[in-house]
Amino acid sequence: MKSQRNRNRWDLSASSIDVKKPGSANLDWKNLGFEYRETNGHLESNFANGVWGDTEIVQDPYLKVHIGATSLHYGQACFEGLKAFHCKDGKVRLFRPDENAKRCEQSATRICMAPFPQDRFIDMCKEAVRNNIEYVPPYGSNGALYIRPLLFGSGARIGLQPADKYKFLILTIPVGDYYQGGIKAVKAVVIDDYDRAAPKGVGNVKVAGNYAADILPNTLAKKRGFPIALYLDAKTNTYVEEFSTSNFLGVDKQGAYITPDSTAALKSITNKSLMELAKSMGMDVQVRRVHINEVEQFQETAACGTAVVLTPVASITYKEKVLQTNSGYDGVGPVLRNLYDRVRAIQTGDAEDTFGWMVEV
């Protein structure tokens, strides 16, 4: 069941939705960037008395939250990020929402929140896209509708304990081609003054606090001229874990796909997809510990995640030493270029989805 909260008039009648088409909103689709934009609204569901309530359609982007909410005091919050694409055949599809639903449940369980049902997670993602269908960037624009599910403790607790009430919501934002003018390799720096996550902490789930811990070192890295920052393991400070918001991957001289094995790093759905694709192409895929001194031996190196699929890394600065990690390529190297193009072709419907990743809205 759905209800509708209208603080401003919002026409969601069947006849109104039927005439709306992907890409019909009045936006400059070629210059969207990756930032918050107003759309028709978001979806909400509230948990109380042990039960998740009906889905509500809400236009107002502001939330009324209790001053004692556990999300504000104790960080009981997790989120996800996925995309919907307008495909070549005219249909709109989500990329692997089942994986996001599973990960959201894992994150919620780790910090004692009421998990949101996986099947309903997917259904609400579909509904959020349908309610904002005109904001889905049109096929050929290289854009997508970014979907941000958020789950947080809304119940009041002053003592340290789980909330008794939770809110789950999904907002959507049209985003553009991250690499206008082509993919360019970036410089990275190792963060050795701060740790992102402890080995037995919450680094392997997508909770809000992980990202709060990265804001200061990430900001400092950018001031030094490094667009992305790399973290090493907190115990020995010698093994690669992940970039600020992306997994680390490399291709060695033998053509093997290598990504770190760490209990403190988030398992990227994009990385998982690239690994599955690499295996299907006959590549040797290795998930193992990666010493920082090894990265200079890689032919290609990249950060991978939902926003960009992958970002090639030209060099990594470690203790004032510059490690060359991309064989001099100004952009993406040939192996990762092939993987990138194949993933993007599946997302846009230009290639057959033999993996069953895409879910029609």
Side-chain angles (χ1 to χ4, degrees):
M1 293 289 292
K2 286 185 305 212
S3 62
Q4 184 176 330
R5 298 211 312 266
N6 274 336
R7 297 186 181 94
N8 297 302
R9 187 174 181 275
W10 182 20
D11 184 6
L12 278 180
S13 63
S15 59
S16 171
I17 294 175
D18 288 344
V19 300
K20 295 176 181 177
K21 302 293 182 184
S24 60
N26 185 24
L27 292 174
D28 181 1
W29 300 110
K30 292 292 185 180
N31 296 288
L32 287 176
F34 196 90
E35 59 188 34
Y36 180 80
R37 290 175 184 273
E38 294 287 347
T39 57
N40 289 331
H42 65 276
L43 301 185
E44 290 183 13
S45 177
N46 292 288
F47 180 90
N49 301 316
V51 179
W52 281 104
D54 293 344
T55 301
E56 295 183 275
I57 300 169
V58 184
Q59 185 181 23
D60 190 344
Y62 292 94
L63 302 174
K64 185 176 181 180
V65 180
H66 195 286
I67 59 172
T70 58
S71 56
L72 301 179
H73 295 263
Y74 302 120
Q76 261 199 315
C78 68
F79 67 95
E80 281 296 324
L82 64 155
K83 287 180 176 179
F85 298 88
H86 186 210
C87 298
K88 187 177 182 179
D89 62 2
K91 296 180 179 179
V92 175
R93 295 182 176 89
L94 302 168
F95 183 69
R96 307 198 75 171
D98 55 320
E99 293 292 334
N100 294 95
K102 293 175 189 175
R103 196 168 64 180
C104 183
E105 184 176 276
Q106 292 165 357
S107 298
T109 300
R110 174 62 180 84
I111 56 174
C112 296
M113 293 197 295
F116 197 73
Q118 292 185 31
D119 56 347
R120 195 168 165 202
F121 178 105
I122 297 172
D123 288 341
M124 277 185 68
C125 284
K126 292 179 180 179
E127 186 67 16
V129 175
R130 285 195 291 265
N131 288 337
N132 292 285
I133 196 70
E134 68 268 40
Y135 290 98
V136 179
Y139 171 77
S141 67
N142 292 325
L145 189 68
Y146 181 73
I147 303 162
R148 172 61 66 86
L150 172 66
L151 171 61
F152 64 91
S154 56
R157 291 281 196 253
I158 297 304
L160 180 59
Q161 57 183 304
D164 59 345
K165 296 179 181 179
Y166 296 91
K167 183 182 289 289
F168 178 76
L169 62 83
I170 298 180
L171 61 94
T172 59
I173 307 165
V175 296
D177 184 359
Y178 206 88
Y179 295 116
Q180 291 192 26
I183 302 176
K184 298 294 184 182
V186 300
K187 297 185 298 180
V189 64
V190 170
I191 300 296
D192 50 14
D193 294 331
Y194 302 90
D195 292 323
R196 176 188 166 275
K200 297 181 181 180
V202 292
N204 63 334
V205 289
K206 204 171 178 67
V207 297
N210 288 344
Y211 297 84
D214 178 54
I215 292 174
L216 175 59
N218 191 38
T219 300
L220 294 174
K222 284 182 168 60
K223 287 182 178 179
R224 293 174 59 192
F226 298 100
I228 60 174
L230 179 65
Y231 287 92
L232 305 182
D233 72 294
K235 185 175 182 179
T236 71
N237 209 230
T238 56
Y239 289 95
V240 174
E241 292 209 323
E242 64 178 328
F243 293 101
S244 296
T245 59
S246 310
N247 275 188
F248 175 99
L249 64 91
V251 177
D252 69 9
K253 294 177 181 178
Q254 289 71 45
Y257 183 112
I258 300 170
T259 194
D261 183 20
S262 171
T263 59
L266 185 70
K267 303 302 181 185
S268 162
I269 296 167
T270 303
N271 198 6
K272 179 177 182 178
S273 304
L274 289 168
M275 286 190 282
E276 291 175 10
L277 186 56
K279 287 179 182 178
S280 75
M281 294 162 54
M283 291 179 64
D284 176 22
V285 175
Q286 302 175 16
V287 181
R288 59 173 176 79
R289 298 181 81 184
V290 177
H291 196 281
I292 184 60
N293 291 336
E294 183 185 358
V295 301
E296 200 169 22
Q297 302 172 26
F298 292 154
Q299 296 287 83
E300 302 175 37
T301 304
C304 66
T306 300
V308 298
V309 179
L310 59 83
T311 298
V313 177
S315 66
I316 299 174
T317 297
Y318 174 56
K319 296 185 181 296
E320 306 308 320
K321 182 181 179 182
V322 179
L323 309 176
Q324 300 300 325
T325 56
N326 207 43
S327 301
Y329 296 118
D330 183 47
V332 61
V335 176
L336 294 181
R337 175 91 245 185
N338 189 21
L339 289 169
Y340 173 85
D341 288 344
R342 286 172 179 252
V343 169
R344 292 291 290 118
I346 291 172
Q347 290 176 334
T348 59
D350 288 293
E352 183 182 359
D353 176 20
T354 58
F355 298 92
W357 290 341
M358 305 302 291
V359 176
E360 187 174 337
V361 170

